[in-house]
Amino acid sequence: MIISGRVFTAMAVLAVVAACESAPITGRDRLVPMAEEALQMQAVTAYQEQMAKQPLSKNPEYTAMVRRVGERIAKAAENPPNGLWTAPGFKWEFNVIDKPDVINAYCLPGGKIAVYTGILPISQDEAGLAILMGHEVAHALMRHHAERLSNRTAVRAGTALAGAIVGALIGGRSHRGIGVAAGIGLAVAGNVVALSFSRDQEAEADRVGLILAAHAGYDPGAAVGFWERMKAANAHRDRPPEFFSTHPAADARIANIQRYLPEAQPYYKPSP
């Protein structure tokens, strides 16, 4: 079979992103994440834009608590116990966004953290907040943002390659509809694969986040109560089946966390 330019290009792109590595701590096989430096530069710009547009909390207790817990989590991230991961060398920032109806928090590449006031009642105390922030920092520490970009590039390249091969094998105008249908099917399959990667990353962030919180001096056992409260807060919301969701179902997540706790507990030394 003669390889067309379109097939050759897709094969080349797929080969570039198909290199694999093992994720720290969990050993999960994954595509090598894309370069972190460019992502961190983009994250700084995005974070600054968001902080300029969002209503920052004027509650000094909220701000002090988030920064106090965040700095301990950051210190733990920069001093990995037993060399479990590579110290990230992030330029940390912590802000609280005053949106009581938003139950969310995030950590961008480079350690740019935002916590919405809507999640603070669910966190309840510093231990609960440490579980939340440990989870979000774990995403950045494990380079999940960069990994997702690699995954999407691989899925798109694989879809383009398969579509091009189908077209080359079938050929002819009368079969063009078959090629289009095959392409649509491959695209749907690609989306499901991308979602499964996301669930894997969420579970990984839960596991690594527990170790981070424990290493920072917070009881990782607080995670069970935190996620039970999160489950209750989301009980009234419609959720898709777990297979089509980017996050694990609440009960499955809590069960997994209970399995992870014995691994994290030895790193816990209560802070004075």
Side-chain angles (χ1 to χ4, degrees), residues 213-267:
H215 189 43
Y218 296 101
D219 183 2
V224 175
F226 171 79
W227 288 110
E228 285 177 342
R229 294 190 296 274
M230 183 70 82
K231 174 187 174 181
N234 286 285
H236 66 284
R237 302 185 181 190
D238 293 332
R239 284 182 57 88
E242 182 177 359
F243 184 73
F244 293 103
S245 173
T246 59
H247 288 62
D251 290 336
R253 170 170 245 154
I254 292 169
N256 285 336
I257 283 172
Q258 289 172 329
R259 289 193 300 107
Y260 302 149
L261 278 174
E263 177 185 36
Q265 203 70 43
Y267 298 101

Side-chain angles (χ1 to χ4, degrees), residues 13-14 17 31 34 148-158:
V13 173
L14 191 59
V17 299
L31 295 180
M34 290 185 173
R148 288 184 185 185
L149 287 177
S150 293
N151 291 339
R152 289 175 184 175
T153 302
V155 167
R156 288 170 183 167

Side-chain angles (χ1 to χ4, degrees), residues 54-55 99-100 108 121 134 136 232 264:
Q54 299 289 348
K99 286 192 173 181
L108 297 181
E136 298 302 333

Side-chain angles (χ1 to χ4, degrees), residues 24-78:
I25 301 178
T26 66
R28 175 176 59 87
D29 290 335
R30 65 179 184 180
L31 295 180
V32 175
M34 290 185 173
E36 181 77 4
E37 292 76 12
L39 272 183
Q40 290 193 20
M41 291 177 62
Q42 294 173 9
V44 169
T45 300
Y47 189 75
Q48 290 174 345
E49 290 177 352
Q50 285 297 306
M51 294 309 104
K53 292 189 299 185
Q54 299 289 348
L56 298 183
S57 174
K58 293 181 172 60
N59 185 319
E61 293 183 5
Y62 286 171
T63 302
M65 180 173 64
V66 167
R67 291 182 177 170
R68 184 166 58 249
V69 175
E71 286 168 1
R72 285 172 60 175
I73 294 291
K75 183 178 179 181
E78 298 290 351

Side-chain angles (χ1 to χ4, degrees), residues 100-194:
D101 58 331
V102 177
I103 302 175
N104 199 13
Y106 62 80
C107 177
L108 297 181
K112 310 303 180 186
I113 295 173
V115 176
Y116 290 82
T117 54
I119 205 167
L120 294 178
I122 297 173
S123 301
Q124 285 191 347
D125 53 24
E126 291 196 16
L129 184 58
I131 296 301
L132 167 67
M133 296 182 77
H135 171 89
E136 298 302 333
V137 169
H139 276 308
L141 188 65
M142 301 297 283
R143 300 187 62 203
H144 288 162
H145 307 83
E147 184 186 347
R148 288 184 185 185
L149 287 177
S150 293
N151 291 339
R152 289 175 184 175
T153 302
V155 167
R156 288 170 183 167
T159 301
L161 174 60
I165 291 175
V166 168
L169 288 174
I170 296 176
R173 294 190 177 184
S174 62
H175 299 293
R176 188 170 297 171
I178 298 175
V180 171
I184 293 172
L186 289 166
V188 171
N191 284 330
V192 172
V193 169

